[in-house]
Amino acid sequence: MRGNSKSPQEERRSAAASSSRRERREEDIAIIGGGIIGICAATLLCEAGRSVTVFDRTGICEETSSGNAAAFAFSDVLPMAHKGMVKQLPKWLADPLGPLAIPPAYLPKLLPWLIRFWRAGAAGHYEASLAAQAGMMKLAEAEWMGLLDRSGTRPMLREEGSLELYESEAEFRASLPGWAERERFGIDFRHVESGQMAALQPGLAPRFVKGTFVPGWKTVADPKLLGKAVWAHAERLGAAFEQARVERVEAGANGATIVLADGSRRTAKKLLIAAGAWSHLLARNLGDRIPLEAERGYNTTLPVSAFDVKRQLIFSGHGFVITPLETGLRIGGAVELAGIERPPNFARSKAMLEKAKRFLPGLDPCGGREWMGFRPSLPDSLPVIGRAKAPNVFYAFGHGHLGLTQAAATARLIRDLVLGQTPPLDLNPFRARRF
Ligand SMILES: Cc1cc2nc3c(=O)[nH]c(=O)nc-3n(C[C@H](O)[C@H](O)[C@H](O)COP(=O)(O)OP(=O)(O)OC[C@H]3O[C@@H](n4cnc5c(N)ncnc54)[C@H](O)[C@@H]3O)c2cc1C
């Protein structure tokens, strides 16, 4: 997918300007990955007066950060691995186009990750991940609001809350322990009866018997446009971009070296690896083995006119959401644990669109654009944020379902580490060597 915020001529001019800036200066900080994590980190480091170059093989927010569901899911503190989820697995896996799929041929490769995922759901681990995630979310909201203001992107924020929907009393009751846990962390929500739901979303099918409204849930007008607008702010502060595939990284006491696909080398005093679902491949060059998997997700973006959706609608029982964007109506989610090599199976997008039509009978399903992205996921649902084993290298990846939500907080933590300041959170739960 290509960006539409700049014309090709403007893109070329900006790339040339970036590249001449790069030649003029000594590289201070190099960042591999121009997704939302890499560009937010670049922005905060530039704001702190550092010179930063981002390397990406495609562009700014052109991969997973371009097509996600656009939620600032600050209340989504529950780790994926929990007892309730493990109970759902047999039912979900029975449907090859359902909320979770694992192609049998990929299972042997996935097994070590799945075992770690299962262990992460044990009571002690789960509690620790929940507390770490809740701390991260508090920081995430504060840091995003600040960054939206500083980058002039606040108008892209939508504060309409979300509506989660249940098809049976049993499904609603099964959700209650999760809501009680959120309550412990001060998250505001309100359960609604079927009769009150039309006020929050007209046109829903009568199959939904209850809902939960979360007023603090936020979305953005379009995640790709937001990423590009934040990057424009970073560029104004001097950030540079080089489009290149990084083949290998090396690090030593004096800094880091990036080896590009054409064999040329770039050096920097400090290196940040924020390469999303591909980060572990580079971390391996530095002696860190990190169990990063790709949770592949699918969606279809329909024209804005497809249906008047008032706020993000969440169908947890089916593993997907519907988000009204400035650029369309995005329908999708689901998880396919199938690695980074297999081609997409867009039957999954179609299956969710089909269900959405049943849930919103007036929906016009025509004219959609299908997409797949790779959620970079660690078994305990927490990202890796911290130092590599090698000197002068930092990691920021593995944000799974929450990379957009946690990008500004991650940037703040990385900035503090790079500048040698004390971060506002204990980074132990996020360290690379916790597995
Ligand atoms: C269907 C779906 C819905 C989602 N919904 C939400 C949501 O509503 N809210 C939320 O918070 N999160 C959501 N997410 C998750 C979120 O999109 C990700 O966590 C986030 O985009 C990850 O950002 P990133 O910068 O780590 O990775 P990416 O966006 O994947 O960026 C990594 C970049 O690194 C580059 N790269 C990798 N290797 C190399 C290399 N060797 N050389 C050069 N460049 C390289 C890639 O080109 C890429 O641009 C969703 C994800 C999916 C799939």
Side-chain angles (χ1 to χ4, degrees):
M1 287 166 56
R2 285 194 52 79
N4 54 6
S5 61
K6 279 182 180 171
S7 70
Q9 263 176 339
E10 283 171 325
E11 293 271 9
R12 271 197 298 278
R13 264 202 302 277
S14 140
S18 294
S19 125
S20 73
R21 267 201 301 275
R22 179 170 40 75
E23 279 155 18
R24 265 190 272 121
R25 68 190 181 178
E26 185 193 11
E27 220 70 271
D28 191 359
I29 298 160
I31 298 181
I32 306 175
I36 194 69
I37 302 294
I39 62 127
C40 284
T43 305
L44 265 71
L45 286 163
C46 285
E47 286 177 339
R50 295 306 164 113
S51 69
V52 178
T53 300
V54 171
F55 295 82
D56 197 296
R57 62 190 172 203
T58 47
I60 297 297
C61 287
E62 289 291 339
E63 300 216 8
T64 305
S65 300
S66 71
N68 62 48
F72 278 165
F74 300 123
S75 53
D76 209 353
V77 295
L78 305 186
M80 296 297 288
H82 58 82
K83 275 183 286 176
M85 157 74 83
V86 174
K87 266 191 224 153
Q88 299 259 38
L89 288 182
K91 186 182 93 188
W92 282 357
L93 285 170
D95 175 2
L97 297 179
L100 173 66
I102 304 175
Y106 193 67
L107 197 54
K109 184 145 192 255
L110 182 67
L111 206 57
W113 188 94
L114 277 182
I115 291 169
R116 287 190 168 106
F117 177 81
W118 182 70
R119 283 199 200 125
H125 279 219
Y126 176 80
E127 271 301 320
S129 299
L130 177 60
Q133 199 69 291
M136 184 68 177
M137 288 305 195
K138 250 200 174 126
L139 183 67
E141 182 154 16
E143 287 296 328
W144 255 127
M145 295 311 122
L147 180 55
L148 292 176
D149 285 338
R150 297 195 304 278
S151 58
T153 52
R154 174 75 78 148
M156 299 177 103
L157 182 69
R158 296 177 164 199
E159 302 187 75
E160 293 147 349
S162 65
L163 179 62
E164 182 152 354
L165 293 150
Y166 314 99
E167 287 174 283
S168 66
E169 284 293 333
E171 188 188 352
F172 171 67
R173 275 197 306 278
S175 78
L176 292 177
W179 291 113
E181 281 171 10
R182 290 182 185 95
E183 203 163 18
R184 271 170 47 207
F185 292 97
I187 291 161
D188 190 20
F189 59 87
R190 173 163 61 85
H191 298 310
V192 291
E193 298 297 326
S194 58
Q196 304 161 323
M197 252 140 41
L200 291 164
Q201 180 56 59
L204 278 169
R207 63 197 294 151
F208 298 106
V209 298
K210 279 214 164 62
T212 305
F213 174 60
V214 180
W217 191 276
K218 299 173 175 58
T219 56
V220 298
D222 182 292
K224 176 166 158 166
L225 298 185
L226 174 69
K228 288 185 186 291
V230 171
W231 175 250
H233 167 62
E235 272 193 320
R236 286 191 289 274
L237 297 169
F241 175 72
E242 183 168 359
Q243 184 169 358
R245 176 187 297 277
V246 176
E247 284 294 331
R248 207 173 67 247
V249 291
E250 296 160 7
N254 297 325
T257 302
I258 294 176
V259 183
L260 302 180
D262 65 4
S264 63
R265 298 162 83 86
R266 305 283 183 271
T267 56
K269 289 184 190 141
K270 311 260 185 224
L271 169 66
L272 172 66
I273 297 181
W278 299 270
S279 301
H280 59 310
L281 304 175
L282 297 168
R284 208 181 285 161
N285 299 169
L286 303 167
D288 287 314
R289 296 191 77 82
I290 300 173
L292 187 72
E293 257 304 328
E295 288 189 58
R296 296 146 57 112
Y298 291 83
N299 57 41
T300 306
T301 306
L302 299 174
V304 174
S305 58
F307 199 88
D308 182 13
V309 173
K310 301 290 184 194
R311 50 185 45 82
Q312 190 171 70
L313 303 177
I314 302 176
F315 307 97
S316 289
H318 298 271
F320 78 96
V321 304
I322 302 184
T323 317
L325 304 174
E326 186 184 289
T327 46
L329 188 67
R330 186 158 289 166
I331 298 171
V335 168
E336 182 185 52
L337 288 161
I340 48 181
E341 305 288 350
R342 281 177 172 251
N345 171 11
F346 286 116
R348 302 185 63 75
S349 314
K350 290 179 182 61
M352 289 182 277
L353 183 58
E354 193 49 46
K355 281 185 182 170
K357 174 87 184 105
R358 295 207 297 272
F359 299 167
L360 292 172
L363 178 80
D364 178 358
C366 300
R369 185 165 32 91
E370 292 174 332
W371 177 86
M372 183 192 74
F374 299 90
R375 302 181 190 92
S377 297
L378 278 314
D380 58 3
S381 306
L382 298 179
V384 167
I385 302 171
R387 290 175 184 280
K389 192 188 276 179
N392 296 310
V393 183
F394 302 83
Y395 293 142
F397 57 81
H399 296 75
H401 295 238
L402 298 166
L404 173 65
T405 308
Q406 297 185 337
T410 302
R412 163 71 195 274
L413 297 169
I414 289 293
R415 185 204 70 186
D416 289 352
L417 279 181
V418 170
L419 300 187
Q421 295 169 354
T422 308
L425 285 185
D426 171 18
L427 290 184
N428 241 342
F430 307 107
R431 69 195 186 284
R433 266 144 288 151
R434 66 186 187 266
F435 298 102

